[in-house]
Amino acid sequence: MHRVIPDIDRNKKAIPEIKSFRTPNSLGLPAKLMDWTINDVAKTITASQAACIDAVAKKVYKKFPGKENQNKRKKLCKQLRTLAFLDNSLLHRLVRKEFHRGHSWSKNQIVYQQVGYKCKRISRHTYQLELAGLRRGKRNRIVVRSNRKIKGQIRLIHNQLLQRFEIHFLVDHGTVGIPSERRSVGVDKGYTEAFYDSEGQAHGKGLGKVTTKKSDRICAKNRNRGKLWALHRKLEKLDPAKSARILENNLTRKTENRRYRKNQSELTAIIGAASKSLFNGESLKVFAEDLTQPIRNKRQSKAVSRKLNSWMKGVMRDSLRKWANWTGSVVTEVQPSYTSQIDSRNGTLLGKRTGDNFTGFDGVVLQADHNAAKNILARGTDKEITRYMNKTEVQAVLLRRTARCLEGMGLSLLDAVELGWLDSKHSKTQAFKQLLIEM
């Protein structure tokens, strides 16, 4: 790791270095095919190192929050991009943890540049590729389905599971004009619908029904498979022939894998349509929740846990970023703690969420997701609550704001708890007790 981190522009140097101990003849490959593959691997290593630097920088900001540590953070991030990080025990430890070293045994793919193949259109969505092979002057023909002409660098992958070839290539969607000022929108990611924005619009309705249906189907299927597995094991000695028939005809994964891919495609399509609807071709400044960290200390049933495990929050994040790039928008992730438990009208913890409703201390009922989206929008410009603060620090800031609001009404935090305006769980925290002493 320490040999290659500072040298970002190494792609051209990689080819002669590799060929010094491994020639194309020893692999049975043409020289150009080997050069293209080495170049692609070098780019992948560079991307992996950049991802490692980004992950370590996030941990540095999380470990040293606040304005008082600003210079320390800058110094550590500067060291991270040079060999100086080796002399810092903290950075060295974090880099070793985040950089995923190892070997690749992938033997089913190869990289081609534009000069290594020809693409010919056969029908509307069918193209024929003539690819350079191992024999000089001989080209291999492969027919693929695509909705656009294949060009530029491609990656040819032989999918052994499906027994077919796949072509991966980059698509140029053109350039986007970026305005000087963008409209700001807060987005709440949900289970029943994909996104709910701060302007009161729901995007991706029906996501929860499809996700629940998929989860319930898999659960019922696996229950039945469990019974068949038990019967199969029981009959292994009593009736080996029947046990083998059960294993061959009832316990394979081919049909189930096809159904699973179909379900995943349906969910991805709903999320993609929701993202498209959210941006609507406009360049926006979007504030969304950072849901990369697992939700801890949540007591819930097995059924609820199973459904949440099917919740494709990673696909939501990628979809937002993709459409942001296409529309010239910016997606900024914020600290998600308590965004659904704050009253968006006053920014305090006075109120309670029940299902799709948020009831304020004054009895006013708000749509819960719309209320959360407004809180996310406000948090995007909040100077006190930063993205990498932990939940306890966020709770302390919100309790101070709640105490100031109650003080204006001539009440205290204990009065709010007794009146049922403030959830009693906050009264057990150290921040709550400290505020009582100060007041």
Side-chain angles (χ1 to χ4, degrees), residues 86-130:
L86 289 171
D87 300 326
N88 188 303
S89 59
L90 172 64
L91 290 180
H92 198 180
R93 185 171 68 253
L94 292 176
V95 167
R96 287 180 62 85
K97 186 176 181 180
E98 292 296 332
F99 187 70
H100 302 291
R101 298 173 297 278
H103 299 274
S104 174
W105 287 271
S106 180
K107 299 179 181 179
N108 65 337
Q109 53 187 272
I110 197 165
V111 175
Y112 283 90
Q113 296 290 353
Q114 182 74 61
V115 296
Y117 69 92
K118 292 182 180 179
C119 182
K120 178 182 178 183
R121 185 174 183 176
I122 299 176
S123 62
R124 184 180 179 186
H125 293 308
T126 308
Y127 291 86
Q128 178 180 280
L129 291 180
E130 293 185 358

Side-chain angles (χ1 to χ4, degrees), residues 319-347:
S319 182
L320 280 178
R321 289 181 174 179
K322 180 181 76 173
W323 281 95
N325 292 334
W326 286 356
T327 57
S329 303
V330 175
V331 177
T332 304
E333 294 187 328
V334 301
Q335 222 286 352
S337 299
Y338 298 102
T339 50
S340 61
Q341 302 173 43
I342 302 173
D343 191 333
S344 59
R345 298 171 299 165
N346 49 41

Side-chain angles (χ1 to χ4, degrees), residues 42-149:
K43 290 178 181 177
T44 304
I45 293 173
T46 301
S48 178
Q49 291 167 359
C52 171
I53 291 174
D54 184 59
V56 173
K58 288 179 181 178
K59 288 196 173 184
V60 168
Y61 271 75
K62 192 173 183 179
K63 188 174 181 64
F64 303 104
K67 292 183 179 180
E68 65 277 7
N69 293 318
Q70 185 175 1
N71 292 332
K72 187 172 186 177
R73 292 196 301 265
K74 287 184 178 180
K75 182 180 178 181
L76 290 173
C77 290
K78 187 176 180 181
Q79 289 179 352
L80 189 61
R81 286 168 170 78
T82 64
L83 286 175
F85 83 89
L86 289 171
D87 300 326
N88 188 303
S89 59
L90 172 64
L91 290 180
H92 198 180
R93 185 171 68 253
L94 292 176
V95 167
R96 287 180 62 85
K97 186 176 181 180
E98 292 296 332
F99 187 70
H100 302 291
R101 298 173 297 278
H103 299 274
S104 174
W105 287 271
S106 180
K107 299 179 181 179
N108 65 337
Q109 53 187 272
I110 197 165
V111 175
Y112 283 90
Q113 296 290 353
Q114 182 74 61
V115 296
Y117 69 92
K118 292 182 180 179
C119 182
K120 178 182 178 183
R121 185 174 183 176
I122 299 176
S123 62
R124 184 180 179 186
H125 293 308
T126 308
Y127 291 86
Q128 178 180 280
L129 291 180
E130 293 185 358
L131 303 158
L134 298 179
R135 288 185 294 178
R136 185 179 182 86
K138 296 290 184 180
R139 297 232 167 182
N140 301 318
R141 291 184 175 86
I142 296 177
V143 177
V144 295
R145 291 184 58 82
S146 175
N147 57 0
R148 52 177 57 85
K149 187 176 181 180

Side-chain angles (χ1 to χ4, degrees), residues 236-253:
E236 278 182 330
K237 294 182 180 179
L238 299 176
D239 192 348
K242 186 173 182 179
S243 175
R245 287 198 301 272
I246 291 174
L247 182 63
E248 181 181 358
N249 299 327
N250 303 100
L251 293 175
T252 58
R253 294 285 307 179

Side-chain angles (χ1 to χ4, degrees), residues 221-232 235 241-256 259:
K221 179 79 174 178
N222 288 339
R223 282 200 189 104
N224 294 330
R225 284 174 65 89
K227 295 176 183 178
L228 287 172
W229 271 109
L231 181 60
H232 158 67
L235 294 174
K242 186 173 182 179
S243 175
R245 287 198 301 272
I246 291 174
L247 182 63
E248 181 181 358
N249 299 327
N250 303 100
L251 293 175
T252 58
R253 294 285 307 179
K254 186 175 181 179
T255 302
E256 180 57 29
R259 288 177 180 171

Side-chain angles (χ1 to χ4, degrees), residues 151-169:
K151 57 184 179 180
Q153 177 178 301
I154 65 172
R155 184 187 301 272
L156 176 64
I157 300 175
H158 182 223
N159 192 323
Q160 298 173 351
L161 181 63
L162 301 177
Q163 289 299 310
R164 69 182 184 187
F165 286 97
E166 297 176 1
I167 305 292
H168 293 190
F169 63 101

